[in-house]
Amino acid sequence: MNYELITDYKHNAIYRKSFFELVQTTFELDFKQWDDAGGWNDNYRCLSYRLGSQIVANVSINELTVIVEGNAHSALQIGTAVTHPDHRNKGLSRQLIEYAITTYEKDYDFIYLFANDTVLSFYPKFGFKQWHESTFVLDVSTYKKSKNTNSWRKLTREVPADLEIMTRLAEQRKPLSNKVEVTGREHLSHFYYILGFGDALYYHSECDALLIFEIDGSELHLFDIIAAQPINLNDILSSLLTSEITTVNFYFTPDGLPHVQSARMENPEDTLFVRSKIEEPNTPFVFPLTSHA
């Protein structure tokens, strides 16, 4: 078959539509919603094979800045790796990964990706090495509990004023961690606003911060804090905690917070692979969940 490699076609309506259909069929995700909201910016580029007008295989590259141990590095995250069922086992994904490495690696400090457990043996063939992330859990028995969690107002994308807050903070986000953090990810923030945590977005006007969190029984799952100014994590927690909550699970690296327990992540849903001369941090860390592409 005569496959043709095409790249960065977000302004081509035919290819864009076919790409959305491929993602919808494979992952059951409606990328058109994300695109309509302005999420597809210049930091997200598709590398695809087409057959006629149909996109049949893709990997996308996300141009980001990754902070590791206080140092900022230019990075590419590979994501949206997908091949149409009728065109699998033809080496298309392999060729796209090789193209991404040979074309872009010279311009960036490292390339990384997250892989599910069906392809853990695939990426080491390209020189990727696993970095071992950790979980972070806090026992909040010693924390002062809030009597008024109403200060956090739920946001809705369909409300123009709420959407403006979400967009502004995505653009102005300050890093949460100096150990491992990902910046320049406005497009990924919009993805999680729309397709990841649309029902878990909350805003506090006084600290001008957007939180993504869920409460499950006695556990608080804190997925992200998006703020235009540096925040005090202790203050954030105190405003959230009720008498029923006993533990907080962090999905980013919580710098400077005492009494947080960390443990190496066992059997992660997404395994981090990095192709880089940068050494893996020697203390516990986790890439922010909402930075996964």
Side-chain angles (χ1 to χ4, degrees):
M1 294 186 181
N2 187 23
Y3 298 110
E4 180 183 350
L5 178 65
I6 59 173
T7 65
D8 199 17
Y9 49 81
K10 71 174 182 175
H11 298 300
N12 184 304
I14 294 175
Y15 296 150
R16 190 172 67 247
K17 180 175 182 291
S18 181
F19 170 63
F20 294 156
E21 290 172 349
L22 176 62
V23 173
Q24 177 73 56
T25 299
T26 307
F27 299 133
E28 297 183 353
L29 292 173
D30 186 359
F31 269 31
K32 186 177 184 302
Q33 291 186 60
W34 170 69
D35 183 37
D36 289 344
W40 190 343
N41 64 15
D42 291 339
N43 286 9
Y44 182 88
R45 283 167 275 167
C46 288
L47 313 177
S48 302
Y49 276 114
R50 74 175 181 92
L51 188 61
S53 61
Q54 183 184 17
I55 302 299
V56 297
N58 178 81
V59 301
S60 295
I61 54 175
N62 298 265
E63 183 177 306
L64 301 161
T65 298
V66 176
I67 298 170
V68 179
E69 301 285 10
N71 298 309
H73 303 277
S74 59
L76 279 187
Q77 182 182 177
I78 293 176
T80 327
V82 55
T83 302
H84 190 282
D86 294 344
H87 301 273
R88 291 173 183 167
N89 302 313
K90 299 179 185 295
L92 300 182
S93 290
R94 174 183 56 78
Q95 293 172 53
L96 289 172
I97 296 291
E98 290 174 345
Y99 177 84
I101 292 171
T102 57
T103 303
Y104 297 102
E105 187 171 46
K106 63 183 182 296
D107 299 321
Y108 297 89
D109 294 328
F110 67 92
I111 300 177
Y112 71 104
L113 55 86
F114 293 89
N116 63 45
D117 58 7
T118 66
V119 289
L120 297 183
S121 63
F122 180 65
Y123 292 106
K125 298 175 183 178
F126 303 95
F128 287 91
K129 295 182 179 180
Q130 181 180 353
W131 279 16
H132 298 88
E133 297 182 284
S134 293
T135 59
F136 294 90
V137 179
L138 175 64
D139 180 340
V140 296
S141 58
T142 61
Y143 270 75
K144 180 181 179 181
K145 305 299 179 68
S146 173
K147 294 182 179 180
N148 179 21
T149 56
N150 293 330
S151 54
W152 290 97
R153 178 177 66 84
K154 198 165 190 176
L155 296 182
T156 304
R157 284 185 54 251
E158 289 70 26
V159 177
D162 288 359
L163 182 58
E164 187 279 329
I165 291 170
M166 296 159 65
T167 300
R168 174 177 59 81
L169 291 179
E171 294 172 352
Q172 299 176 359
R173 168 198 290 269
K174 289 293 186 290
L176 287 176
S177 172
N178 198 45
K179 177 168 289 294
V180 169
E181 178 62 286
V182 180
T183 65
R185 51 181 165 123
E186 293 90 347
H187 64 299
L188 296 177
S189 294
H190 282 284
F191 174 88
Y192 285 99
Y193 288 162
I194 297 166
L195 300 174
F197 296 106
D199 198 40
L201 307 173
Y202 298 86
Y203 177 68
H204 195 303
S205 59
E206 290 185 11
C207 57
D208 192 25
L210 187 159
L211 261 61
I212 303 178
F213 71 87
E214 294 176 350
I215 297 174
D216 182 11
S218 63
E219 293 188 292
L220 170 66
H221 298 274
L222 186 51
F223 299 107
D224 202 359
I225 303 173
I226 306 170
Q229 301 296 330
I231 54 92
N232 184 308
L233 192 50
N234 277 308
D235 291 344
I236 295 291
L237 289 176
S238 293
S239 72
L240 284 173
L241 298 176
T242 65
S243 58
E244 291 80 17
I245 296 173
T246 60
T247 57
V248 179
N249 300 279
F250 297 93
Y251 295 81
F252 53 87
T253 305
D255 283 4
L257 198 63
H259 311 303
V260 173
Q261 300 296 313
S262 63
R264 176 172 287 196
M265 197 178 294
E266 300 293 339
N267 302 315
E269 184 174 338
D270 295 308
T271 299
L272 172 62
F273 284 98
V274 180
R275 180 183 164 98
S276 171
K277 296 179 181 179
I278 299 168
E279 295 296 326
E280 178 178 353
N282 57 14
T283 55
F285 73 92
V286 65
F287 272 62
L289 176 64
T290 58
S291 73
H292 291 204

